[in-house]
Amino acid sequence: MKYLITGGNGQLGSALKNILPKEECLFTDVGELDVTDREAVLEMVEKEKPEYVLHCAALTNVDGCETNIELADKINHLSVEYFAEACNKVGATLFYISTDYVFDGEATSPYGVEKKPDPKSVYGKTKLAGEEAAKQAKKYYIFRTSWVYGEGNNFVRTMLKLSETMGEIKVVGDQFGRPTYALDLAKGMKEAIEKKIPYRDYHYQNSGETISWAQFASEIFEIAGKNTKVIPISTKEYLEMNAEKQVASRPHYSVLETSKLEQIGINLPDWKSSLEKYLVN
Ligand SMILES: NC(=O)c1ccc[n+]([C@@H]2O[C@H](COP(=O)([O-])OP(=O)(O)OC[C@H]3O[C@@H](n4cnc5c(N)ncnc54)[C@H](OP(=O)(O)O)[C@@H]3O)[C@@H](O)[C@H]2O)c1
């Protein structure tokens, strides 16, 4: 067994399913392996002896994390400790996926890998603790990424669904970043493994211009041929509209500096061409 994958039914897990050789993979999701169960994690890793654990399971509902702090910590952080321990026992490499939410989100230029993290949400705090746990593995990769879309629930799908019934949609226009196609990220992980790049943390984000969520929505509608109008609103207006919900603090700036992977020769496609591929398929 070469790859043991967790969160196999999620966006990234599904993308990995499309590109990794089936016979070399064991895909699991919560039904096969609950990553919060330390004994189960140790038992499966010791039994399967993978070369790589691609740990994609996470609690990604950022608002949900605010009200489920214990569960968020178990899935996003403690599970990584279990995998680091298990990987060390069998000599496997742990591949952990993290997020721009580990930063304060207030920068005005791209976050370098070495920039000091300062998470403002439960999701960001638990993912940062997960990174620290991943570093307990003797062999590890950490890829921080952002605004991921693929198979499953995501911003692109939500916008397309809303456009079926709404002529205009209010979307936040003062939070900026770059989207990342899950299939590109999966390919980047595979490339990193094949190239045997040095064990450490990296930033993986699709390249291209920095945009707001509102601009991203406009681009989605343009490529998909929808007439829905996008009305940019401020984060403040968005929070007022959702006053009854417990909304997590969102980064105003989510652009990651990706030169470490670029220098190694890992492909970081332009987000616009990847979005076109995603919407055309
Ligand atoms: N999505 C983004 O925008 C984004 C941005 C930056 C970083 N990331 C990171 O990228 C990685 C992959 O994200 P994704 O978008 O593929 O997430 P996703 O679509 O939410 O998939 C996560 C998967 O983990 C599963 N899971 C949850 N709890 C579990 C448990 N206790 N045991 C086993 N599996 C469990 C989920 O199952 P259920 O659906 O049944 O709960 C789901 O299938 C995560 O580490 C995430 O933090 C994502």
Side-chain angles (χ1 to χ4, degrees):
M1 175 64 51
K2 187 161 180 186
Y3 303 106
L4 171 64
I5 299 103
T6 72
N9 296 340
Q11 299 196 90
L12 181 57
S14 303
L16 286 164
K17 247 177 226 162
N18 288 328
I19 61 155
L20 293 178
K22 227 184 237 143
E23 62 284 2
E24 294 183 353
C25 296
L26 178 60
F27 282 91
T28 65
D29 209 284
V30 68
E32 299 75 39
L33 178 63
D34 178 351
V35 299
T36 66
D37 182 340
R38 178 175 170 272
E39 296 309 316
V41 167
L42 289 171
E43 199 178 302
M44 184 168 286
V45 173
E46 285 192 54
K47 178 167 167 260
E48 300 295 339
K49 296 192 176 29
E51 283 177 52
Y52 296 90
V53 171
L54 311 183
H55 189 18
C56 309
L59 190 61
T60 55
N61 177 345
V62 174
D63 295 331
C65 287
E66 296 295 313
T67 45
N68 293 290
I69 299 174
E70 206 183 320
L71 184 64
D73 191 61
K74 277 187 185 168
I75 300 175
N76 295 341
H77 162 215
L78 293 178
S79 74
V80 194
E81 281 190 5
Y82 310 153
F83 277 107
E85 182 185 351
C87 283
N88 286 344
K89 282 195 175 162
V90 301
T93 301
L94 178 58
F95 210 135
Y96 179 64
I97 307 300
S98 191
T99 165
D100 63 287
Y101 274 73
V102 300
F103 294 119
D104 63 5
E106 297 300 331
T108 50
S109 59
Y111 284 102
V113 175
E114 276 88 18
K115 176 85 184 165
K116 195 174 183 294
D118 184 15
K120 300 296 180 194
S121 61
V122 171
Y123 176 67
K125 284 174 190 165
T126 56
K127 292 295 292 186
L128 178 61
E131 287 186 10
E132 280 151 16
K135 290 176 185 171
Q136 291 167 20
K138 288 185 188 121
K139 297 187 282 182
Y140 73 87
Y141 293 121
I142 296 171
F143 271 20
R144 291 192 187 122
T145 187
S146 72
W147 295 21
V148 177
Y149 63 92
E151 288 174 37
N153 291 329
N154 57 62
F155 181 79
V156 184
R157 290 263 168 96
T158 303
M159 287 300 113
L160 290 175
K161 185 135 193 36
L162 290 175
S163 75
E164 285 168 17
T165 53
M166 294 166 80
E168 56 179 48
I169 302 178
K170 291 181 175 155
V171 185
V172 171
D174 61 1
Q175 292 172 17
F176 298 90
R178 277 196 302 230
T180 298
Y181 183 22
L183 193 59
D184 291 337
L185 173 59
K187 286 178 183 166
M189 292 168 70
K190 185 167 177 262
E191 238 187 303
I193 289 169
E194 285 168 354
K195 286 194 157 95
K196 298 187 189 307
I197 70 172
Y199 298 121
R200 57 159 299 152
D201 35 5
Y202 297 92
H203 285 171
Y204 186 100
Q205 190 175 52
N206 275 144
S207 58
E209 63 175 319
T210 298
I211 46 163
S212 68
W213 286 109
Q215 288 168 312
F216 188 25
S218 298
E219 197 66 40
I220 293 163
F221 295 147
E222 189 170 326
I223 295 171
K226 305 277 182 190
N227 293 322
T228 310
K229 194 174 162 207
V230 176
I231 303 177
I233 57 167
S234 66
T235 300
K236 190 167 169 279
E237 283 171 285
Y238 177 82
L239 291 174
E240 281 162 8
M241 282 164 57
N242 291 280
E244 76 293 349
K245 278 205 285 183
Q246 178 123 13
V247 178
S249 170
R250 296 285 199 286
H252 281 276
Y253 189 82
S254 299
V255 184
L256 300 173
E257 208 265 315
T258 53
S259 59
K260 287 216 158 49
L261 286 181
E262 282 164 51
Q263 282 157 10
I264 294 171
I266 302 289
N267 188 25
L268 301 161
D270 184 274
W271 67 260
K272 230 184 245 191
S273 54
S274 291
L275 180 62
E276 276 166 13
K277 281 184 197 141
Y278 175 73
L279 289 173
V280 166
N281 289 329

